[in-house]
Amino acid sequence: MSSLGRIVSATRRYVTVASGNGTFLDAEVTPKFKDISIGDLVEFIKSDSNTSIIDIKQRKNLFSRSYQGKTKYLSSNVDRIFVVTAPPPLF
């Protein structure tokens, strides 16, 4: 039986999924889901030895950056973004 959860942490090979009951599960990222980002709502299956992601639900939005022709997904399903800047020193 599958469950829904949200990605709260991601590295190249592993993600941490926050499940609906408040537990955090580590899952390995397969090549099929290499474009996963923090904030994604995912469907997963937990077995005795591992957690497998079986589907990524549709995103509301995606916050990304591009560098030298490559795009990196930073987060998805963002409701608010706060931009904080500081003026240069006066002295």
Side-chain angles (χ1 to χ4, degrees), residues 4 6 17 22 29 35 48-49 54 85:
L4 285 177
R6 188 168 304 273
V17 180
V29 177
D35 292 335
D48 293 335
S49 60
I54 57 173
T85 61

Side-chain angles (χ1 to χ4, degrees), residues 13-64:
R13 295 192 55 205
Y14 295 97
V15 295
T16 302
V17 180
S19 65
N21 62 5
T23 59
F24 295 94
L25 306 165
D26 291 326
E28 190 170 359
V29 177
T30 60
K32 180 180 177 183
F33 300 116
K34 65 182 172 112
D35 292 335
I36 201 164
S37 72
I38 295 172
D40 276 337
L41 190 60
V42 295
E43 190 173 346
F44 65 93
I45 294 176
K46 171 133 177 57
S47 65
D48 293 335
S49 60
N50 64 354
T51 302
S52 301
I53 296 172
I54 57 173
D55 190 28
I56 299 175
K57 300 300 180 187
Q58 185 174 1
R59 298 173 173 141
K60 281 193 312 187
N61 49 46
L62 180 63
F63 190 61
S64 63

